[in-house]
Amino acid sequence: MDDQTGEGLGYVMAQLLTAGAFDVYFTPIQMKKNRPATKLSVLADPQARESLTKLILAETSTVGIRYQTWQRTIMRRHFIEVPTAYGLVHLKVASYDDIEKKTPEYADCARLAQANGVPLMAVYQAALAAADQSDKER
């Protein structure tokens, strides 16, 4: 889109996410006649295509939409809670075959960092250390 305001882009992003889009992002591009523009990308369930199409056409300056179908692999996910010196932190545990990833929840870490007057990374690292300790005790 070469004639869409930044405010309008922010608005439509929020609307698309609220309407069920998995993710929304913008890419700066050059269009014909060397016009700078913004490409709007929306990742969503194919069943949401029609409702999201209507939203994009109603809320942006575009007059057309291109579609692409993708496939994806998703890691199984669950949450655990670990105690740290700062308080309890939820960690997202994602696994696929023999691959496992643990990620502390940002909101928990940020809340505890502010409450304890410590850097965010201190809480984040404490949560990872607690998860490692929990693994060793199993």
PDB file of all heavy atoms in Angstrom, residues 53-77:
ATOM      1  N   THR A  53     -10.175 -10.947   5.008  1.00  0.00           N
ATOM      2  CA  THR A  53     -10.162 -10.230   3.730  1.00  0.00           C
ATOM      3  C   THR A  53     -11.086  -9.022   3.796  1.00  0.00           C
ATOM      4  O   THR A  53     -10.701  -7.909   3.411  1.00  0.00           O
ATOM      5  CB  THR A  53     -10.586 -11.163   2.581  1.00  0.00           C
ATOM      6  OG1 THR A  53      -9.595 -12.175   2.432  1.00  0.00           O
ATOM      7  CG2 THR A  53     -10.756 -10.404   1.278  1.00  0.00           C
ATOM      8  N   LYS A  54     -12.284  -9.225   4.288  1.00  0.00           N
ATOM      9  CA  LYS A  54     -13.244  -8.120   4.393  1.00  0.00           C
ATOM     10  C   LYS A  54     -12.707  -7.019   5.300  1.00  0.00           C
ATOM     11  O   LYS A  54     -12.842  -5.836   5.001  1.00  0.00           O
ATOM     12  CB  LYS A  54     -14.585  -8.632   4.912  1.00  0.00           C
ATOM     13  CG  LYS A  54     -15.378  -9.375   3.868  1.00  0.00           C
ATOM     14  CD  LYS A  54     -16.735  -9.791   4.399  1.00  0.00           C
ATOM     15  CE  LYS A  54     -17.533 -10.471   3.309  1.00  0.00           C
ATOM     16  NZ  LYS A  54     -18.875 -10.860   3.783  1.00  0.00           N
ATOM     17  N   LEU A  55     -12.085  -7.412   6.383  1.00  0.00           N
ATOM     18  CA  LEU A  55     -11.534  -6.430   7.312  1.00  0.00           C
ATOM     19  C   LEU A  55     -10.440  -5.617   6.630  1.00  0.00           C
ATOM     20  O   LEU A  55     -10.420  -4.389   6.725  1.00  0.00           O
ATOM     21  CB  LEU A  55     -10.991  -7.156   8.543  1.00  0.00           C
ATOM     22  CG  LEU A  55     -10.769  -6.315   9.787  1.00  0.00           C
ATOM     23  CD1 LEU A  55     -10.848  -7.189  11.028  1.00  0.00           C
ATOM     24  CD2 LEU A  55      -9.464  -5.585   9.761  1.00  0.00           C
ATOM     25  N   ILE A  56      -9.532  -6.281   5.929  1.00  0.00           N
ATOM     26  CA  ILE A  56      -8.436  -5.573   5.249  1.00  0.00           C
ATOM     27  C   ILE A  56      -8.981  -4.622   4.182  1.00  0.00           C
ATOM     28  O   ILE A  56      -8.553  -3.473   4.076  1.00  0.00           O
ATOM     29  CB  ILE A  56      -7.441  -6.577   4.622  1.00  0.00           C
ATOM     30  CG1 ILE A  56      -6.702  -7.341   5.724  1.00  0.00           C
ATOM     31  CG2 ILE A  56      -6.454  -5.858   3.710  1.00  0.00           C
ATOM     32  CD1 ILE A  56      -5.949  -8.565   5.234  1.00  0.00           C
ATOM     33  N   LEU A  57      -9.937  -5.089   3.389  1.00  0.00           N
ATOM     34  CA  LEU A  57     -10.503  -4.241   2.335  1.00  0.00           C
ATOM     35  C   LEU A  57     -11.261  -3.051   2.920  1.00  0.00           C
ATOM     36  O   LEU A  57     -11.230  -1.960   2.354  1.00  0.00           O
ATOM     37  CB  LEU A  57     -11.403  -5.061   1.419  1.00  0.00           C
ATOM     38  CG  LEU A  57     -10.678  -6.093   0.551  1.00  0.00           C
ATOM     39  CD1 LEU A  57     -11.683  -6.977  -0.182  1.00  0.00           C
ATOM     40  CD2 LEU A  57      -9.710  -5.435  -0.423  1.00  0.00           C
ATOM     41  N   ALA A  58     -11.907  -3.246   4.059  1.00  0.00           N
ATOM     42  CA  ALA A  58     -12.669  -2.159   4.685  1.00  0.00           C
ATOM     43  C   ALA A  58     -11.767  -1.154   5.400  1.00  0.00           C
ATOM     44  O   ALA A  58     -12.058   0.044   5.412  1.00  0.00           O
ATOM     45  CB  ALA A  58     -13.681  -2.733   5.679  1.00  0.00           C
ATOM     46  N   GLU A  59     -10.666  -1.616   5.984  1.00  0.00           N
ATOM     47  CA  GLU A  59      -9.863  -0.768   6.869  1.00  0.00           C
ATOM     48  C   GLU A  59      -8.572  -0.230   6.266  1.00  0.00           C
ATOM     49  O   GLU A  59      -7.859   0.517   6.930  1.00  0.00           O
ATOM     50  CB  GLU A  59      -9.534  -1.533   8.161  1.00  0.00           C
ATOM     51  CG  GLU A  59     -10.743  -1.904   8.989  1.00  0.00           C
ATOM     52  CD  GLU A  59     -11.414  -0.706   9.663  1.00  0.00           C
ATOM     53  OE1 GLU A  59     -10.850   0.416   9.625  1.00  0.00           O
ATOM     54  OE2 GLU A  59     -12.503  -0.894  10.227  1.00  0.00           O
ATOM     55  N   THR A  60      -8.245  -0.621   5.028  1.00  0.00           N
ATOM     56  CA  THR A  60      -7.017  -0.126   4.410  1.00  0.00           C
ATOM     57  C   THR A  60      -7.330   0.472   3.040  1.00  0.00           C
ATOM     58  O   THR A  60      -8.439   0.361   2.538  1.00  0.00           O
ATOM     59  CB  THR A  60      -5.965  -1.240   4.228  1.00  0.00           C
ATOM     60  OG1 THR A  60      -6.400  -2.139   3.210  1.00  0.00           O
ATOM     61  CG2 THR A  60      -5.710  -1.985   5.521  1.00  0.00           C
ATOM     62  N   SER A  61      -6.317   1.034   2.421  1.00  0.00           N
ATOM     63  CA  SER A  61      -6.476   1.642   1.104  1.00  0.00           C
ATOM     64  C   SER A  61      -6.311   0.641  -0.039  1.00  0.00           C
ATOM     65  O   SER A  61      -6.476   0.999  -1.197  1.00  0.00           O
ATOM     66  CB  SER A  61      -5.454   2.770   0.941  1.00  0.00           C
ATOM     67  OG  SER A  61      -4.138   2.253   1.052  1.00  0.00           O
ATOM     68  N   THR A  62      -6.015  -0.620   0.274  1.00  0.00           N
ATOM     69  CA  THR A  62      -5.767  -1.596  -0.785  1.00  0.00           C
ATOM     70  C   THR A  62      -7.036  -1.925  -1.563  1.00  0.00           C
ATOM     71  O   THR A  62      -8.149  -1.835  -1.037  1.00  0.00           O
ATOM     72  CB  THR A  62      -5.134  -2.896  -0.231  1.00  0.00           C
ATOM     73  OG1 THR A  62      -4.636  -3.653  -1.321  1.00  0.00           O
ATOM     74  CG2 THR A  62      -6.146  -3.734   0.530  1.00  0.00           C
ATOM     75  N   VAL A  63      -6.854  -2.314  -2.818  1.00  0.00           N
ATOM     76  CA  VAL A  63      -7.983  -2.724  -3.660  1.00  0.00           C
ATOM     77  C   VAL A  63      -7.851  -4.188  -4.077  1.00  0.00           C
ATOM     78  O   VAL A  63      -8.639  -4.691  -4.872  1.00  0.00           O
ATOM     79  CB  VAL A  63      -8.118  -1.818  -4.909  1.00  0.00           C
ATOM     80  CG1 VAL A  63      -8.470  -0.397  -4.491  1.00  0.00           C
ATOM     81  CG2 VAL A  63      -6.856  -1.844  -5.744  1.00  0.00           C
ATOM     82  N   GLY A  64      -6.862  -4.883  -3.522  1.00  0.00           N
ATOM     83  CA  GLY A  64      -6.693  -6.293  -3.850  1.00  0.00           C
ATOM     84  C   GLY A  64      -5.798  -6.987  -2.841  1.00  0.00           C
ATOM     85  O   GLY A  64      -4.985  -6.362  -2.166  1.00  0.00           O
ATOM     86  N   ILE A  65      -5.971  -8.298  -2.758  1.00  0.00           N
ATOM     87  CA  ILE A  65      -5.217  -9.104  -1.796  1.00  0.00           C
ATOM     88  C   ILE A  65      -4.712 -10.356  -2.495  1.00  0.00           C
ATOM     89  O   ILE A  65      -5.447 -10.990  -3.259  1.00  0.00           O
ATOM     90  CB  ILE A  65      -6.109  -9.497  -0.599  1.00  0.00           C
ATOM     91  CG1 ILE A  65      -6.570  -8.238   0.142  1.00  0.00           C
ATOM     92  CG2 ILE A  65      -5.379 -10.444   0.341  1.00  0.00           C
ATOM     93  CD1 ILE A  65      -7.565  -8.502   1.240  1.00  0.00           C
ATOM     94  N   ARG A  66      -3.455 -10.726  -2.236  1.00  0.00           N
ATOM     95  CA  ARG A  66      -2.881 -11.975  -2.738  1.00  0.00           C
ATOM     96  C   ARG A  66      -2.864 -12.978  -1.595  1.00  0.00           C
ATOM     97  O   ARG A  66      -2.614 -12.614  -0.449  1.00  0.00           O
ATOM     98  CB  ARG A  66      -1.458 -11.761  -3.243  1.00  0.00           C
ATOM     99  CG  ARG A  66      -1.392 -10.902  -4.476  1.00  0.00           C
ATOM    100  CD  ARG A  66       0.067 -10.821  -4.972  1.00  0.00           C
ATOM    101  NE  ARG A  66       0.132 -10.023  -6.175  1.00  0.00           N
ATOM    102  CZ  ARG A  66       0.490  -8.750  -6.211  1.00  0.00           C
ATOM    103  NH1 ARG A  66       0.835  -8.135  -5.104  1.00  0.00           N
ATOM    104  NH2 ARG A  66       0.534  -8.090  -7.352  1.00  0.00           N
ATOM    105  N   TYR A  67      -3.092 -14.263  -1.930  1.00  0.00           N
ATOM    106  CA  TYR A  67      -3.117 -15.316  -0.926  1.00  0.00           C
ATOM    107  C   TYR A  67      -2.030 -16.338  -1.207  1.00  0.00           C
ATOM    108  O   TYR A  67      -1.699 -16.604  -2.357  1.00  0.00           O
ATOM    109  CB  TYR A  67      -4.465 -16.054  -0.945  1.00  0.00           C
ATOM    110  CG  TYR A  67      -5.639 -15.155  -0.699  1.00  0.00           C
ATOM    111  CD1 TYR A  67      -6.374 -14.646  -1.759  1.00  0.00           C
ATOM    112  CD2 TYR A  67      -6.009 -14.810   0.596  1.00  0.00           C
ATOM    113  CE1 TYR A  67      -7.455 -13.813  -1.533  1.00  0.00           C
ATOM    114  CE2 TYR A  67      -7.085 -13.975   0.818  1.00  0.00           C
ATOM    115  CZ  TYR A  67      -7.806 -13.483  -0.251  1.00  0.00           C
ATOM    116  OH  TYR A  67      -8.869 -12.663  -0.022  1.00  0.00           O
ATOM    117  N   GLN A  68      -1.521 -16.909  -0.153  1.00  0.00           N
ATOM    118  CA  GLN A  68      -0.545 -17.976  -0.245  1.00  0.00           C
ATOM    119  C   GLN A  68      -0.872 -18.981   0.854  1.00  0.00           C
ATOM    120  O   GLN A  68      -1.206 -18.595   1.975  1.00  0.00           O
ATOM    121  CB  GLN A  68       0.857 -17.406  -0.002  1.00  0.00           C
ATOM    122  CG  GLN A  68       1.902 -17.964  -0.856  1.00  0.00           C
ATOM    123  CD  GLN A  68       3.217 -17.185  -0.712  1.00  0.00           C
ATOM    124  OE1 GLN A  68       3.316 -16.182  -0.022  1.00  0.00           O
ATOM    125  NE2 GLN A  68       4.207 -17.678  -1.370  1.00  0.00           N
ATOM    126  N   THR A  69      -0.777 -20.257   0.541  1.00  0.00           N
ATOM    127  CA  THR A  69      -1.020 -21.285   1.537  1.00  0.00           C
ATOM    128  C   THR A  69       0.315 -21.861   1.981  1.00  0.00           C
ATOM    129  O   THR A  69       1.136 -22.247   1.150  1.00  0.00           O
ATOM    130  CB  THR A  69      -1.917 -22.407   0.969  1.00  0.00           C
ATOM    131  OG1 THR A  69      -3.149 -21.826   0.532  1.00  0.00           O
ATOM    132  CG2 THR A  69      -2.191 -23.462   2.011  1.00  0.00           C
ATOM    133  N   TRP A  70       0.518 -21.907   3.278  1.00  0.00           N
ATOM    134  CA  TRP A  70       1.750 -22.409   3.869  1.00  0.00           C
ATOM    135  C   TRP A  70       1.434 -23.614   4.738  1.00  0.00           C
ATOM    136  O   TRP A  70       0.311 -23.787   5.195  1.00  0.00           O
ATOM    137  CB  TRP A  70       2.389 -21.338   4.765  1.00  0.00           C
ATOM    138  CG  TRP A  70       2.823 -20.123   4.040  1.00  0.00           C
ATOM    139  CD1 TRP A  70       2.033 -19.079   3.634  1.00  0.00           C
ATOM    140  CD2 TRP A  70       4.138 -19.810   3.604  1.00  0.00           C
ATOM    141  NE1 TRP A  70       2.794 -18.136   2.993  1.00  0.00           N
ATOM    142  CE2 TRP A  70       4.089 -18.565   2.966  1.00  0.00           C
ATOM    143  CE3 TRP A  70       5.361 -20.452   3.720  1.00  0.00           C
ATOM    144  CZ2 TRP A  70       5.207 -17.946   2.434  1.00  0.00           C
ATOM    145  CZ3 TRP A  70       6.484 -19.844   3.192  1.00  0.00           C
ATOM    146  CH2 TRP A  70       6.390 -18.607   2.549  1.00  0.00           C
ATOM    147  N   GLN A  71       2.424 -24.399   4.989  1.00  0.00           N
ATOM    148  CA  GLN A  71       2.303 -25.482   5.952  1.00  0.00           C
ATOM    149  C   GLN A  71       3.317 -25.218   7.047  1.00  0.00           C
ATOM    150  O   GLN A  71       4.335 -24.563   6.814  1.00  0.00           O
ATOM    151  CB  GLN A  71       2.558 -26.818   5.283  1.00  0.00           C
ATOM    152  CG  GLN A  71       1.503 -27.110   4.235  1.00  0.00           C
ATOM    153  CD  GLN A  71       1.707 -28.453   3.558  1.00  0.00           C
ATOM    154  OE1 GLN A  71       2.634 -29.178   3.858  1.00  0.00           O
ATOM    155  NE2 GLN A  71       0.817 -28.766   2.652  1.00  0.00           N
ATOM    156  N   ARG A  72       3.042 -25.718   8.232  1.00  0.00           N
ATOM    157  CA  ARG A  72       3.969 -25.474   9.314  1.00  0.00           C
ATOM    158  C   ARG A  72       4.032 -26.674  10.250  1.00  0.00           C
ATOM    159  O   ARG A  72       3.105 -27.473  10.322  1.00  0.00           O
ATOM    160  CB  ARG A  72       3.615 -24.214  10.096  1.00  0.00           C
ATOM    161  CG  ARG A  72       2.346 -24.300  10.897  1.00  0.00           C
ATOM    162  CD  ARG A  72       2.073 -22.981  11.603  1.00  0.00           C
ATOM    163  NE  ARG A  72       0.953 -23.116  12.524  1.00  0.00           N
ATOM    164  CZ  ARG A  72       0.738 -22.316  13.528  1.00  0.00           C
ATOM    165  NH1 ARG A  72       1.556 -21.318  13.767  1.00  0.00           N
ATOM    166  NH2 ARG A  72      -0.282 -22.489  14.322  1.00  0.00           N
ATOM    167  N   THR A  73       5.124 -26.747  10.942  1.00  0.00           N
ATOM    168  CA  THR A  73       5.318 -27.727  11.997  1.00  0.00           C
ATOM    169  C   THR A  73       5.301 -26.970  13.312  1.00  0.00           C
ATOM    170  O   THR A  73       5.943 -25.920  13.431  1.00  0.00           O
ATOM    171  CB  THR A  73       6.661 -28.462  11.823  1.00  0.00           C
ATOM    172  OG1 THR A  73       6.635 -29.146  10.569  1.00  0.00           O
ATOM    173  CG2 THR A  73       6.908 -29.439  12.947  1.00  0.00           C
ATOM    174  N   ILE A  74       4.568 -27.502  14.272  1.00  0.00           N
ATOM    175  CA  ILE A  74       4.428 -26.826  15.555  1.00  0.00           C
ATOM    176  C   ILE A  74       4.979 -27.729  16.654  1.00  0.00           C
ATOM    177  O   ILE A  74       4.658 -28.913  16.708  1.00  0.00           O
ATOM    178  CB  ILE A  74       2.949 -26.521  15.856  1.00  0.00           C
ATOM    179  CG1 ILE A  74       2.334 -25.691  14.737  1.00  0.00           C
ATOM    180  CG2 ILE A  74       2.800 -25.818  17.193  1.00  0.00           C
ATOM    181  CD1 ILE A  74       0.837 -25.565  14.840  1.00  0.00           C
ATOM    182  N   MET A  75       5.799 -27.158  17.509  1.00  0.00           N
ATOM    183  CA  MET A  75       6.278 -27.895  18.663  1.00  0.00           C
ATOM    184  C   MET A  75       5.142 -28.010  19.686  1.00  0.00           C
ATOM    185  O   MET A  75       4.355 -27.075  19.838  1.00  0.00           O
ATOM    186  CB  MET A  75       7.484 -27.187  19.293  1.00  0.00           C
ATOM    187  CG  MET A  75       8.675 -27.091  18.358  1.00  0.00           C
ATOM    188  SD  MET A  75      10.090 -26.228  19.104  1.00  0.00           S
ATOM    189  CE  MET A  75      10.835 -27.595  20.015  1.00  0.00           C
ATOM    190  N   ARG A  76       5.043 -29.164  20.351  1.00  0.00           N
ATOM    191  CA  ARG A  76       4.082 -29.322  21.437  1.00  0.00           C
ATOM    192  C   ARG A  76       4.497 -28.383  22.564  1.00  0.00           C
ATOM    193  O   ARG A  76       5.686 -28.221  22.837  1.00  0.00           O
ATOM    194  CB  ARG A  76       4.057 -30.767  21.946  1.00  0.00           C
ATOM    195  CG  ARG A  76       3.273 -31.685  21.020  1.00  0.00           C
ATOM    196  CD  ARG A  76       3.258 -33.119  21.520  1.00  0.00           C
ATOM    197  NE  ARG A  76       4.576 -33.697  21.217  1.00  0.00           N
ATOM    198  CZ  ARG A  76       5.376 -34.254  22.113  1.00  0.00           C
ATOM    199  NH1 ARG A  76       5.032 -34.362  23.371  1.00  0.00           N
ATOM    200  NH2 ARG A  76       6.565 -34.717  21.760  1.00  0.00           N
ATOM    201  N   ARG A  77       3.520 -27.753  23.220  1.00  0.00           N
ATOM    202  CA  ARG A  77       3.827 -26.776  24.249  1.00  0.00           C
ATOM    203  C   ARG A  77       3.017 -27.043  25.514  1.00  0.00           C
ATOM    204  O   ARG A  77       1.854 -27.428  25.437  1.00  0.00           O
ATOM    205  CB  ARG A  77       3.538 -25.368  23.757  1.00  0.00           C
ATOM    206  CG  ARG A  77       4.496 -24.922  22.671  1.00  0.00           C
ATOM    207  CD  ARG A  77       4.008 -23.671  22.046  1.00  0.00           C
ATOM    208  NE  ARG A  77       2.935 -24.026  21.120  1.00  0.00           N
ATOM    209  CZ  ARG A  77       2.638 -23.350  20.041  1.00  0.00           C
ATOM    210  NH1 ARG A  77       3.294 -22.269  19.737  1.00  0.00           N
ATOM    211  NH2 ARG A  77       1.666 -23.738  19.246  1.00  0.00           N
TER     212      ARG A  77
END
